[in-house]
């Protein structure tokens, strides 16, 4: 008797939506308290920096923009690295490997779900920071582009770190180090950093989202520069998500 044919693989978009909804439902209860922690952490950093940074200047714009994107880094990079590290260590990848779901749908769906949790915290941080440092709020709609692009870039990096780490503990460590880099290189004003450190800042995926948001606080923003920063952020997002998809295929077959 001939074996029954296997079901056809699901198409990318329906599979992505299914994974996104499943991840959003699974992580909703567990991640909301951590989102509050990320938001309070960023607001606390701005309060501390208010004592040494004058309101309304370029340093203030960097602090507010960096603190806002730090919420994205905490959830999309740090927590996603931990999640995929735990998933690999517990054998959870075997479950996804048996499903007729494209690898890209698993990575993109999980990344989109984790990035979605950053929206309220990032918006609250940006509004509080703008009020604290007396920055204009008229162009905060730029967050509508900064959050998904920075979230995709950092989520792809976090997923790749979690999938490539040989041990769960190392995935957690790498996620923490990545978030620390986003804190130090994103929140501190770029013009006050040593030149060597500024090169490392240029390699951080979230830097271009921070720069785009910081430029939007100008009275007359340079929209060409804002779009250029967002374009670089989008390109980095594509590369990091592609790397995460490759890392998922590599981990799933082992």
């Amino acid at each position: 008797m001939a074996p029954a044919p296997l079901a056809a693989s699901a198409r990318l978009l329906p599979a992505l939506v299914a994974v996104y909804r499943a991840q959003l439902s699974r992580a909703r209860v567990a991640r909301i308290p951590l989102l509050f922690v990320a938001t309070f952490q960023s607001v606390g950093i701005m309060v501390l920096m208010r004592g040494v940074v004058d309101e309304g200047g370029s340093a203030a714009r960097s602090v507010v923009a960096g603190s806002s994107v730090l919420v994205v880094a905490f959830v999309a990079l740090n927590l996603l690295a931990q999640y995929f590290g735990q998933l690999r260590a517990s054998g959870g990848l075997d479950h996804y490997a048996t499903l007729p779901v494209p690898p890209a749908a698993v990575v993109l769906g999980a990344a989109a779900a984790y990035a979605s949790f950053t929206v309220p915290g990032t918006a609250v941080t940006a509004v509080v920071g703008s009020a604290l440092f007396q920055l204009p709020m008229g162009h905060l709609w730029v967050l509508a582009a900064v959050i998904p692009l920075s979230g995709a870039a950092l989520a792809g990096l976090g997923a790749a770190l979690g999938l490539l780490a040989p041990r769960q503990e190392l995935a957690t460590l790498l996620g923490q180090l990545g978030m620390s880099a986003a804190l130090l290189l994103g929140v501190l004003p770029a013009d006050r950093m040593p030149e060597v450190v500024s090169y490392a800042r240029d390699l951080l995926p979230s830097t271009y989202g921070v720069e785009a948001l910081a430029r939007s606080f100008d009275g007359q923003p340079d929209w060409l520069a804002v779009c250029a920063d967002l374009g670089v952020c989008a390109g980095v997002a594509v590369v990091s998500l592609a790397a995460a998809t490759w890392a998922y295929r590599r981990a799933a077959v082992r």
Side-chain angles (χ1 to χ4, degrees), residues 158-176:
L161 292 176
L163 290 166
L164 293 175
R167 298 182 59 183
Q168 181 180 352
E169 296 80 6
L170 185 56
T172 300
L173 175 62
L174 292 174
Q176 291 283 352

Side-chain angles (χ1 to χ4, degrees), residues 24-41:
L24 200 63
S25 176
R26 187 200 67 83
R28 184 177 298 157
V29 175
R31 301 310 179 194
I32 285 180
L34 292 174
L35 177 59
F36 280 112
V37 172
T39 304
F40 290 146
Q41 171 185 263

Side-chain angles (χ1 to χ4, degrees), residues 51-155:
V52 295
V53 174
D54 295 331
E55 62 184 32
S58 61
R61 294 194 291 269
S62 296
V63 169
V64 176
S67 298
S68 300
V69 177
L70 181 61
V71 179
V72 182
F74 183 89
V75 177
L77 194 163
N78 183 28
L79 296 186
L80 198 59
Q82 295 182 33
Y83 169 70
F84 273 109
Q86 183 272 332
L87 196 67
R88 179 182 179 183
S90 64
L93 288 180
D94 297 337
H95 167 70
Y96 284 107
T98 59
L99 299 177
V101 177
V106 177
V107 173
L108 293 175
Y114 275 72
S116 297
F117 283 106
T118 69
V119 175
T122 304
V124 168
T125 302
V127 170
V128 171
S130 298
L132 190 63
F133 287 90
Q134 297 297 304
L135 297 174
M137 302 186 194
H139 301 125
L140 283 182
W141 53 265
V142 172
L143 285 172
V146 171
I147 292 175
L149 293 178
S150 297
L154 291 171

Side-chain angles (χ1 to χ4, degrees), residues 138-229:
H139 301 125
L140 283 182
W141 53 265
V142 172
L143 285 172
V146 171
I147 292 175
L149 293 178
S150 297
L154 291 171
L157 178 60
L161 292 176
L163 290 166
L164 293 175
R167 298 182 59 183
Q168 181 180 352
E169 296 80 6
L170 185 56
T172 300
L173 175 62
L174 292 174
Q176 291 283 352
L177 289 175
M179 191 195 68
S180 298
L183 167 61
L184 296 175
L185 301 179
V187 175
L188 298 179
D191 56 359
R192 302 186 183 184
M193 294 181 183
E195 186 176 357
V196 175
V197 178
S198 66
Y199 293 142
R201 185 175 182 270
D202 292 338
L203 298 176
L204 191 67
S206 59
T207 295
Y208 304 97
V210 172
E211 290 293 334
L213 182 57
R215 294 181 195 276
S216 71
F217 289 124
D218 292 337
Q220 297 292 331
D222 184 350
W223 293 115
L224 185 61
V226 171
C227 291
D229 286 328

